Amino acid sequence: MITEDNDNNGPASILLIDDHPLLRKGVKQLIELDSQLLVIGEASNAEEGITQAKQLEPDLILLDLNMPEINGIETLKLLRDAGVASRVVVFTVSDNEEDVIAALKAGADGYLLKDMEPEDLLSNLNQAALGKMVISERLSAMLAQALQSNRKRTGPDISSLSPREKQIIKLIAGGLPNKLIARKLNITEGTVKVHVKHLFKKLNLRSRVEVAVWAVQEGLG
């Protein structure tokens, strides 16, 4: 599996999980135009995708939401339960608020719509491969509103966070991956990962996107 310094270690590896062969072919052909990205596997269903994800350990998984038998949300949960550490970006036609929220709560690292421009898809995939959060532009405002309205009143108080945790949240909100956060704070990447894991648990959140939105709402972003 390629590290976050993809620019120094060759192209970022990508696994496509989508039940439409024609779409997989089109996306693969598009990705082939970008020397920083490389499709190393394709799967047409959840079971095949999970097997390949564990075997290939791709940097990035592009996951369809609407698949027969096991949908994208359940597939994402199964990937995380199986210990797959790859970044997972949902790639779908659905701009439904419930779908976006469900994907992020299940641990997605991004949510992109299939009607986006090809060059925008490549740009977002490169950003995602570097550890940054990606979400289609028109969904950002809706996402912030939805998370704000759904936030529990008994949720975590900002005062419960330590100064170090607040620093890390600000950097996550800025889209920085763990390696760059470690450099900025002069601590090890392992220490950052421990902090991030504790933050997810403390804030009852599942993804860096949710942490970033929460940070903006609390004035930390």
Side-chain angles (χ1 to χ4, degrees):
M1 188 168 178
I2 299 172
T3 66
E4 285 165 334
D5 285 333
N6 284 321
D7 52 339
N8 294 326
N9 293 282
S13 55
I14 299 176
L15 170 64
L16 305 178
I17 305 179
D18 195 297
D19 62 316
H20 292 96
L22 190 60
L23 184 135
R24 292 200 310 272
K25 183 177 180 180
V27 171
K28 183 178 180 180
Q29 289 177 337
L30 175 65
I31 289 174
E32 286 174 349
L33 300 175
D34 192 322
S35 62
Q36 296 300 312
L37 303 170
L38 177 66
V39 175
I40 60 169
E42 297 180 46
S44 60
N45 57 61
E47 291 184 3
E48 185 182 345
I50 293 167
T51 298
Q52 288 204 40
K54 290 192 289 187
Q55 290 177 346
L56 300 173
E57 295 187 334
D59 292 300
L60 189 64
I61 297 174
L62 201 57
L63 174 66
D64 184 27
L65 191 66
N66 301 309
M67 296 189 295
E69 297 183 13
I70 303 177
N71 65 30
I73 300 297
E74 291 304 314
T75 302
L76 177 54
K77 292 177 181 177
L78 290 170
L79 285 166
R80 293 310 187 209
D81 289 344
V84 174
S86 308
R87 298 181 186 93
V88 180
V89 174
V90 171
F91 189 48
T92 179
V93 296
S94 175
D95 59 0
N96 181 277
E97 177 183 304
E98 291 183 1
D99 287 337
V100 181
I101 298 299
L104 297 178
K105 285 187 177 297
D109 299 290
Y111 195 104
L112 300 176
L113 297 174
K114 289 181 177 178
D115 63 359
M116 67 194 312
E117 294 294 331
E119 57 269 25
D120 290 337
L121 175 59
L122 291 177
S123 174
N124 277 280
L125 291 180
N126 274 289
Q127 293 299 306
L130 290 171
K132 296 186 179 181
M133 301 168 292
V134 292
I135 185 165
S136 286
E137 191 173 345
R138 79 168 189 258
L139 298 177
S140 299
M142 178 270 289
L143 173 63
Q145 276 190 335
L147 287 181
Q148 189 170 32
S149 63
N150 290 335
R151 210 176 77 201
K152 297 178 181 177
R153 292 184 180 273
T154 56
D157 190 331
I158 191 171
S159 63
S160 69
L161 300 176
S162 69
R164 177 65 83 195
E165 287 173 334
K166 290 178 182 178
Q167 284 180 313
I168 290 175
I169 285 180
K170 286 181 181 179
L171 295 173
I172 289 176
L176 271 66
N178 289 343
K179 187 177 292 292
L180 293 184
I181 291 176
R183 289 176 186 168
K184 276 189 171 290
L185 299 180
N186 198 28
I187 56 179
T188 67
E189 186 178 358
T191 299
V192 174
K193 288 179 179 178
V194 170
H195 277 302
V196 171
K197 183 178 179 180
H198 288 166
L199 280 170
F200 281 4
K201 187 173 182 180
K202 184 180 285 190
L203 300 177
N204 194 29
L205 301 174
R206 292 288 298 271
S207 77
R208 297 171 82 93
V209 176
E210 283 194 287
V211 171
V213 173
W214 183 86
V216 172
Q217 292 171 352
E218 296 293 341
L220 288 175

